[in-house]
Amino acid sequence: MKKIWSGAMTILTSIIAFSAFADSGTAVDQYQLNLRKGVTDISAEVYDLHMLMFIICVVIGLLVFAAMFWSMFFHRKSRGVKPANFHESVKVEIAWTIIPFIILIVMAFPAAKTLIAMEDSSNPDVTVLVTGSQWKWHYKYMENDVEFFSVMATQQEQINNKFDKGENYLLEVDRPLVIPTGQKVRFLVTSDDVIHSWWVPDFAVKKDANPGFINEAWTRVNEPGIYRGQCAELCGKDHGFMPVVVVAKDPAEYNAWIAEQEEMQRKAKEEEQRLLAMNMSMDELMTIGEQVYLRACAACHQPNGQGLPGVFPSLVGTDMIKNDMPGHIDIVVNGKTGTAMQAFSKQLTMSEIAAVVTYERNAWGNNTGEMVQAKDINAVMTGQ
Amino acid sequence: MSNQTQDMNQKNGKLVIKLVAIVFGMFGFAFALVPLYEVFCEITGINGKTSDTAAVYEAVEVDRSRVITVEFITRTNTGMPWEFTAQTRKIEVYPGEMNQVDFYVKNSTAKDYVAQAIPSVSPGTAALYVNKTECFCFNHQPLKAGEEALMPMKFYIDPQLPKDIKFFTLQYTLYDVTASAQVVAMNQG
Amino acid sequence: MSTATTELDHDDHHHGAPSGIKRWLYTTNHKDIGTLYLWFAFIMFLVGGAMAMVIRAELFQPGLQIVDPNFFNQMTTVHGLIMVFGAVMPAFTGLANWLVPMMIGAPDMALPRMNNWSFWILPGAFTILLASLFMEGGGPAFGWTFYAPLSTTYSNDTTALFVFSVHIMGISSIMGAINVIVTIFNMRAPGMTWMKMPLFVWTWLITAFLLIAVMPVLAGAVTMVLTDKYFGTSFFDAAGGGDPVMFQHIFWFFGHPEVYIMILPAFGIISAIIPTFSRKKLFGYASMVYATTSIALLSFIVWAHHMFTTGMPVEAELFFMFATMLISVPTGVKVFNWVATMWRGSMTFEVPMLFALAFIVLFTIGGLSGLMLAIVPVDFQYHDTYFVVAHFHYVLVTGAIFSIMAAVYYWLPKWTGKMFDVTLAKWHFWCSLISVNVLFFPMHFVGLAGMPRRIPDYALQFADFNKWISLGGFAFGLSQLIFLALLIKACRKQGEPVSAQVWDGAEGLEWEIPSPAPYHTFDTPPVVK
């Protein structure tokens, strides 16, 4: 009998420990036990709602368990108890149907209020189009001429346990989304391939990215800072490696940043045109090509070009590699409808595409000896 | 005894037939969910899709008491190399008023393509009140290599649009349907 | 039906079981088929459990150590499919086979030959599913919920095998469900009126109706996935005018009643065990029946609570939130009734009772976290995190599976005629109880802290809890080997002989026949007063 009592105590203490820890959760970040309050008014409301629900549930649970353990302890046969005879009571039955119902209504009101506020994305100050694709995010500022891909920056060596893991392991990207503080930022969320879900816990924003459809969410961040999240809907092999990083800056800094980005993207386009006239050497193409390949292609086609049989095709010695250079360029530039093969014209510069195509046609024993230059890519993209 | 068994088996048989009918009915119901879902969406706007048939504009009263902002977003999906932009990014309209927005497309590649535009509205409820009298999204849009075109979209907003919606976004995603369009063409030819 | 005629006649004239492999292949005896189902479910439980061990081993520490992400996804997918369709559902069907005829005073199931079929196609289905893991491209890797377009356009080449095996599993459960319904409708002993039926029979009857209502919908969903992938339809493909979110609506229209398919029979089992060991009649029998029925009916209008983040209009979100919260009322009534049954009883704590009590506590925890998940604004934070994983493992492992174990311990002496090894059973209980909480309780914390589900690697702040979770997982896995040893001993008929009643508070027709239950029971229907 002692055993049962101690088992019961274990469960009870763990529940109590949970509720006691819950409040100090944010203070001890290392052992975070609870939902975070976040940095927006909405996320704070969501947190309060969560705590309200949690406390109600703990109280209900404790009452039920207390009654149960009371009878387990006092109404045991070993104490010589004779069983009572009752097995029905309409009054009691009605009471414990009605009372939970009333508790539910109490819960539902604040929940509905918060929900309606969360779904009201009207009158935004900034709008960002968020597009998920396997396995990266693309951000486009609708009011400005700025758009870029955001890819996980954690090195493969850290994931494969060859290097030590950094502080923000798996939660770091090459180019974070930047938004202004104190302004209403609206996110239009969509996808290029499968369903993804864009999630930043500190904003209490999680929206599915559905291919062909748009969803909306919004936030108004109070504190400047770096906020990290992840893709929350299984989207294939590298679902776990698709972080979201958002940097909130005060409006002045944000405006400076966005102007700088516009300028940079304009210059990059000019630079690309200039590079069209230049030919790169085989060595240059192969060096750049390998870097680009590992960054953009290796997730599916694998670092050794072999792909994953039955899932992602091999690039070694195939007909397209050996005999069909235009087809090869076309598939890299435009992607292939209805497959995981994306269009890289939006993600890579022409010289990068040229380098990676050259690399694929000469690495891993493919050795076609063929070189592709940026102007060849340009020819495909402009139909010349 | 055997008579009883006989009765029992008949009884069982009848019940089995009924239950199997339910099973087939529910299998059919799963497929019926597809059109039902579409009808449901048309009534509730649950998925933010606009109607794929042309509306008729007649005897609509223009409500000049409020202005609705409509934002247009254009995207091309993987495998669709066209340039695709809305000539107007945002317009302000009165409910009931007829409007036209043009969309520019260019196929700058060396291949012929057929495209299909898929509309999506957010918030989804607004989709019910967007009435298009003419839209490039009703049909496949072919462009030969190097061609460009201006595609019109004429629409009005139903004055019944709920008062709390002052702003909505209409997105078009362009998909490459060249392969399936050829199949259809071959079947018809 | 003529097949049934021959079977019944056949059974009338032969007594005792034929021997050897043929006995099991050709058997139409409900007890044999029940045993087959239960062993099959247990083997699948171990296979699915082994996959969980792979998952937990990979998640033991950050970084990729053991499997690659693609195989990891196959493990989570097949683990889910096996546990749902291969372990929990067949185990309940096995219990129904053993118990329903004995509880209602019927000589056998109504359709014995179909019974044989519905079992024997199951191993085929799971062989196909498991074989696909070893083929080029591997097995299904899109989660047991197989959301389109990940399962259509972007899935691997073995998807057809996945579809085929799900079809077979579906046909098997539909046949099983039809059999249960016909048996309960037509084969009750004289005097066994509806409101005298044991709750296990009631809950299974309602479950069987849920099964024939929603398994065909699942079949429809996988068929659409098949045609979308291989035959150029576009049910779920936006480019062709389809809608990927519609897949989720169809899937969860099946999926939510499916959740209750896996828990209603558990309610029946607990409602049998608690009164026995409290030596007191079940409190509120009628309200239990009504509560079960209303849970089943409500389960058809709550499906979209799995989809709050897909972007529904506010009105729809509110509707599904309220409907979901409503389900907690009848579920609460059940828990209250069990506690009221124990209240002022005369309780003893034999092994089945231990499992039943653990069920009530842990299922309630799972139910309460389910209530939290119903609240849309906070669900946006919980959705697709480990908080959800914790929730459904509390209701499915410490809920459904604990109830199955409770049932096995409760009825095993009746089946074998011998008391099982109580020492081993207690070891099994305490090891399972402690390890299962070490396994699933910290998942609440990592979920709230922001760890998404279905990821093969995680950020460093989740590392400590994941280590504990994995250790709990290994311990829970090992604990089940104690159960295996106990079951093998029981099947070898070791142990003390037991009386017909076995447990001194047990009531019901199955406790009036001798232990072990003879191969043929109730050839002449008993009269229930």
Side-chain angles (χ1 to χ4, degrees):
Chain A
M1 251 3 53
K2 249 183 170 175
K3 276 182 185 169
I4 290 166
W5 194 234
S6 67
M9 284 311 293
T10 331
I11 296 164
L12 278 176
T13 42
S14 59
I15 291 166
I16 293 160
F18 181 34
S19 45
F21 266 113
D23 271 333
S24 58
T26 40
V28 199
D29 222 23
Q30 208 181 343
Y31 289 101
Q32 195 195 339
L33 292 167
N34 201 0
L35 210 61
R36 56 191 96 191
K37 273 206 171 84
V39 290
T40 67
D41 295 347
I42 288 282
S43 71
E45 260 181 62
V46 167
Y47 173 83
D48 291 340
L49 202 55
H50 158 73
M51 286 314 291
L52 172 73
M53 289 298 301
F54 174 68
I55 288 163
I56 292 175
C57 287
V58 168
V59 170
I60 296 173
L62 287 180
L63 287 176
V64 173
F65 301 152
M68 184 177 143
F69 283 105
W70 181 277
S71 22
M72 280 166 64
F73 195 75
F74 291 106
H75 306 150
R76 275 179 294 147
K77 197 185 176 204
S78 56
R79 292 172 73 101
V81 184
K82 289 274 167 291
N85 230 338
F86 67 90
H87 61 87
E88 238 165 3
S89 164
V90 178
K91 276 181 204 155
V92 174
E93 300 272 353
I94 289 177
W96 65 40
T97 310
I98 301 287
I99 293 168
F101 195 75
I102 294 167
I103 297 174
L104 289 183
I105 293 173
V106 171
M107 290 171 168
F109 268 107
K113 194 179 128 271
T114 308
L115 180 65
I116 289 166
M118 285 175 107
E119 297 286 358
D120 176 20
S121 56
S122 55
N123 302 322
D125 300 305
V126 175
T127 298
V128 183
L129 178 65
V130 179
T131 311
S133 64
Q134 285 181 329
W135 297 281
K136 48 180 95 67
W137 295 101
H138 177 262
Y139 300 114
K140 184 176 181 187
Y141 291 79
M142 299 312 293
E143 282 84 11
N144 304 84
D145 210 5
V146 174
E147 59 179 302
F148 53 85
F149 279 89
S150 176
V151 186
M152 185 181 75
T154 304
Q155 300 148 297
Q156 282 302 317
E157 286 84 354
Q158 288 189 19
I159 296 171
N160 295 325
N161 308 308
K162 292 191 183 104
F163 294 173
D164 283 345
K165 294 175 175 46
E167 191 193 348
N168 295 312
Y169 177 67
L170 300 186
L171 296 179
E172 51 202 346
V173 295
D174 56 350
R175 302 187 67 183
L177 175 69
V178 178
I179 58 169
T181 55
Q183 293 186 6
K184 187 166 185 173
V185 182
R186 183 172 63 129
F187 305 107
L188 293 169
V189 188
T190 186
S191 163
D192 235 4
D193 39 42
V194 300
I195 299 173
H196 304 269
S197 191
W198 196 81
W199 180 31
V200 180
D202 279 311
F203 305 165
V205 168
K206 185 186 283 151
K207 264 292 171 215
D208 286 5
N210 299 322
F213 293 84
I214 39 168
N215 270 329
E216 276 181 294
W218 67 274
T219 192
R220 190 193 299 271
V221 181
N222 299 327
E223 295 293 318
I226 302 174
Y227 305 107
R228 297 171 198 277
Q230 279 177 275
C231 174
E233 180 64 64
L234 179 64
C235 56
K237 179 168 98 44
D238 284 351
H239 162 56
F241 306 97
M242 202 175 153
V244 175
V245 180
V246 182
V247 178
K249 295 185 173 183
D250 69 59
E253 277 182 60
Y254 168 77
N255 287 335
W257 178 85
I258 201 108
E260 189 192 344
Q261 293 299 312
E262 276 185 319
E263 179 67 12
M264 261 169 58
Q265 299 212 341
R266 196 177 52 75
K267 277 200 179 140
K269 274 181 198 152
E270 286 173 12
E271 175 73 3
E272 198 169 8
Q273 289 303 312
R274 196 177 64 81
L275 282 175
L276 281 184
M278 292 182 20
N279 278 341
M280 286 192 277
S281 74
M282 189 67 167
D283 279 352
E284 266 182 297
L285 284 167
M286 288 299 280
T287 319
I288 299 171
E290 183 173 12
Q291 289 164 1
V292 175
Y293 181 83
L294 291 175
R295 176 156 55 92
C297 317
C300 297
H301 295 292
Q302 303 300 303
N304 61 8
Q306 300 279 358
L308 285 176
V311 187
F312 303 115
S314 165
L315 301 178
V316 181
T318 62
D319 184 56
M320 181 182 279
I321 295 286
K322 281 193 287 192
N323 307 318
D324 186 10
M325 188 160 81
H328 188 179
I329 296 174
D330 179 66
I331 200 169
V332 176
V333 170
N334 295 324
K336 191 172 173 195
T337 305
T339 67
M341 184 64 198
Q342 301 171 354
F344 284 92
S345 58
K346 300 172 195 166
Q347 306 183 29
L348 302 173
T349 65
M350 288 187 219
S351 40
E352 283 174 327
I353 295 175
V356 81
V357 172
T358 308
Y359 176 75
E360 287 170 358
R361 299 184 77 76
N362 293 287
W364 322 299
N366 281 336
N367 303 332
T368 58
E370 290 165 335
M371 280 199 281
V372 180
Q373 298 292 352
K375 62 174 185 293
D376 302 323
I377 308 299
N378 189 46
V380 170
M381 283 168 68
T382 56
Q384 286 152 5
Chain B
M1 179 70 201
S2 80
N3 245 350
Q4 251 180 349
T5 338
Q6 202 84 35
D7 285 353
M8 177 61 84
N9 288 328
Q10 265 180 4
K11 223 171 124 190
N12 288 353
K14 273 185 195 157
L15 188 53
V16 170
I17 289 166
K18 279 183 209 156
L19 294 172
V20 170
I22 297 179
V23 168
F24 279 101
M26 288 307 291
F27 186 68
F29 178 71
F31 288 89
L33 280 173
V34 177
L36 278 175
Y37 177 73
E38 263 154 39
V39 172
F40 190 61
C41 290
E42 266 169 43
I43 299 167
T44 62
I46 206 165
N47 70 347
K49 240 182 167 173
T50 56
S51 171
D52 56 3
T53 46
V56 182
Y57 183 73
E58 56 186 12
V60 183
E61 208 171 307
V62 179
D63 175 3
R64 295 197 186 274
S65 66
R66 56 181 176 148
V67 178
I68 311 296
T69 310
V70 186
E71 182 185 31
F72 298 98
I73 292 185
T74 52
R75 292 183 58 244
T76 54
N77 212 66
T78 297
M80 189 69 224
W82 291 7
E83 223 175 288
F84 178 36
T85 49
Q87 299 293 82
T88 320
R89 214 184 78 66
K90 234 182 217 180
I91 54 168
E92 299 195 331
V93 298
Y94 294 119
E97 179 190 39
M98 200 65 197
N99 302 280
Q100 176 166 354
V101 176
D102 292 332
F103 290 78
Y104 170 78
V105 278
K106 184 178 180 195
N107 175 9
S108 51
T109 69
K111 271 199 293 187
D112 300 349
Y113 275 92
V114 183
Q116 173 67 52
I118 300 293
S120 175
V121 173
S122 185
T125 333
L128 303 175
Y129 305 93
V130 180
N131 296 312
K132 301 179 198 169
T133 57
E134 193 185 330
C135 181
F136 55 93
C137 62
F138 294 156
N139 308 100
H140 286 344
Q141 297 294 334
L143 278 190
K144 291 206 165 30
E147 266 187 349
E148 55 186 339
L150 217 49
M151 308 189 297
M153 194 272 283
K154 288 183 183 159
F155 75 102
Y156 69 94
I157 295 168
D158 190 326
Q160 304 291 316
L161 182 79
K163 298 279 180 216
D164 56 322
I165 300 180
K166 299 180 187 90
F167 180 101
F168 66 86
T169 309
L170 173 52
Q171 171 189 263
Y172 284 104
T173 308
L174 221 49
Y175 285 90
D176 170 18
V177 293
T178 315
S180 57
Q182 271 165 358
V183 173
V184 172
M186 268 163 58
N187 286 346
Q188 284 169 347
Chain C
M1 278 179 95
S2 60
T3 52
T5 320
T6 50
E7 289 311 321
L8 281 179
D9 289 343
H10 172 88
D11 284 354
D12 279 345
H13 300 298
H14 294 265
H15 285 272
S19 54
I21 184 84
K22 279 188 179 166
R23 165 180 173 184
W24 300 106
L25 266 178
Y26 299 146
T27 185
T28 55
N29 179 288
H30 73 101
K31 299 184 182 78
D32 282 354
I33 293 174
T35 308
L36 284 172
Y37 263 115
L38 286 167
W39 271 110
F40 177 78
F42 189 59
I43 291 164
M44 282 297 127
F45 177 61
L46 295 179
V47 172
M51 291 173 185
M53 296 301 106
V54 174
I55 294 167
R56 282 323 316 175
E58 178 54 56
L59 292 173
F60 184 68
Q61 57 190 46
L64 293 178
Q65 289 87 19
I66 297 167
V67 293
D68 67 282
N70 193 44
F71 190 71
F72 182 89
N73 287 345
Q74 293 173 37
M75 284 292 105
T76 52
T77 305
V78 182
H79 164 75
L81 289 167
I82 285 194
M83 287 308 196
V84 169
F85 296 106
V88 175
M89 288 169 66
F92 280 136
T93 314
L95 290 171
N97 262 293
W98 253 106
L99 299 169
V100 168
M102 295 197 323
M103 284 176 162
I104 62 172
D108 202 313
M109 297 294 276
L111 312 159
R113 186 162 289 178
M114 189 166 91
N115 209 7
N116 172 291
W117 268 100
S118 70
F119 172 76
W120 277 111
I121 59 174
L122 262 190
F126 284 91
T127 310
I128 293 170
L129 181 66
L130 289 171
S132 73
L133 284 173
F134 300 98
M135 292 179 187
E136 192 181 85
F142 29 69
W144 85 277
T145 51
F146 60 105
Y147 280 9
L150 188 61
S151 62
T152 56
T153 315
Y154 299 90
S155 66
N156 57 22
D157 302 339
T158 59
T159 306
L161 294 178
F162 156 80
V163 170
F164 190 46
S165 75
V166 171
H167 268 305
I168 302 176
M169 295 168 202
I171 291 169
S172 163
S173 359
I174 288 169
M175 292 203 294
I178 289 179
N179 218 335
V180 169
I181 295 173
V182 178
T183 308
I184 298 174
F185 266 66
N186 292 351
M187 310 268 289
R188 277 170 293 134
M192 178 59 80
T193 56
W194 291 110
M195 292 313 266
K196 273 189 190 159
M197 290 196 318
L199 264 171
F200 180 74
V201 179
W202 255 116
T203 51
W204 236 111
L205 179 66
I206 292 162
T207 303
F209 273 107
L210 286 180
L211 277 166
I212 62 164
V214 300
M215 291 309 284
V217 176
L218 174 69
V222 286
T223 307
M224 288 181 223
V225 163
L226 186 80
T227 59
D228 259 21
K229 182 162 176 68
Y230 298 99
F231 303 108
T233 57
S234 34
F235 289 110
F236 311 127
D237 180 9
D243 180 349
V245 176
M246 182 177 71
F247 172 84
Q248 297 178 34
H249 283 288
I250 298 176
F251 179 83
W252 287 114
F253 186 83
F254 145 79
H256 202 80
E258 168 69 20
V259 171
Y260 292 100
I261 287 168
M262 292 190 283
I263 202 68
L264 293 184
F267 293 161
I269 291 163
I270 302 305
S271 304
I273 293 174
I274 297 286
T276 297
F277 298 99
S278 306
R279 288 164 187 76
K280 191 160 152 275
K281 256 181 98 173
L282 180 71
F283 186 85
Y285 170 88
S287 72
M288 285 297 219
V289 174
Y290 302 139
T292 313
T293 317
S294 45
I295 291 172
L297 291 176
L298 281 172
S299 76
F300 284 100
I301 56 159
V302 296
W303 76 89
H305 69 215
H306 299 266
M307 310 166 46
F308 284 141
T309 61
T310 56
M312 282 182 282
V314 186
E315 299 78 15
E317 288 174 334
L318 288 172
F319 170 79
F320 286 109
M321 174 168 85
F322 296 143
T324 305
M325 293 169 81
L326 215 53
I327 281 200
S328 62
V329 175
T331 315
V333 166
K334 285 183 162 290
V335 174
F336 300 146
N337 281 345
W338 290 323
V339 174
T341 307
M342 288 185 259
W343 192 258
R344 291 181 54 208
S346 172
M347 291 169 80
T348 50
F349 301 92
E350 286 85 347
V351 179
M353 185 63 164
L354 294 177
F355 273 98
L357 293 171
F359 170 94
I360 296 180
V361 173
L362 301 174
F363 173 78
T364 304
I365 292 176
L368 290 170
S369 62
L371 183 57
M372 294 171 76
L373 280 159
I375 310 296
V376 185
V378 272
D379 178 73
F380 289 159
Q381 291 284 51
Y382 305 146
H383 179 74
D384 266 335
T385 67
Y386 263 78
F387 191 78
V388 179
V389 180
H391 158 71
F392 70 73
H393 280 96
Y394 263 88
V395 289
L396 285 179
V397 179
T398 60
I401 289 181
F402 267 35
S403 83
I404 293 164
M405 288 172 178
V408 169
Y409 284 120
Y410 186 52
W411 282 291
L412 192 58
K414 170 57 63 188
W415 300 338
T416 62
K418 303 281 166 63
M419 184 50 77
F420 50 81
D421 185 331
V422 176
T423 318
L424 272 187
K426 287 202 167 159
W427 272 100
H428 175 224
F429 172 73
W430 287 108
C431 290
S432 297
L433 179 72
I434 293 163
S435 59
V436 87
N437 282 293
V438 177
L439 166 58
F440 295 124
F441 208 77
M443 284 186 181
H444 291 113
F445 303 139
V446 285
L448 291 176
M451 179 168 162
R453 61 192 282 211
R454 292 168 166 170
I455 55 173
D457 194 6
Y458 46 83
L460 299 179
Q461 75 253 36
F462 308 127
D464 293 314
F465 278 129
N466 268 290
K467 195 169 281 175
W468 281 106
I469 294 169
S470 287
L471 289 173
F474 302 144
F476 185 69
L478 288 174
S479 309
Q480 303 324 307
L481 299 179
I482 307 176
F483 193 36
L484 177 65
L486 180 142
L487 289 174
I488 290 171
K489 276 182 89 173
C491 285
R492 288 182 171 171
K493 309 264 164 132
Q494 293 169 350
E496 293 289 307
V498 290
S499 68
Q501 202 192 5
V502 184
W503 316 103
D504 74 15
E507 277 175 31
L509 284 180
E510 80 267 33
W511 305 110
E512 286 166 19
I513 52 178
S515 303
Y519 198 59
H520 295 287
T521 39
F522 299 126
D523 277 345
T524 323
V527 178
V528 183
K529 278 168 266 159

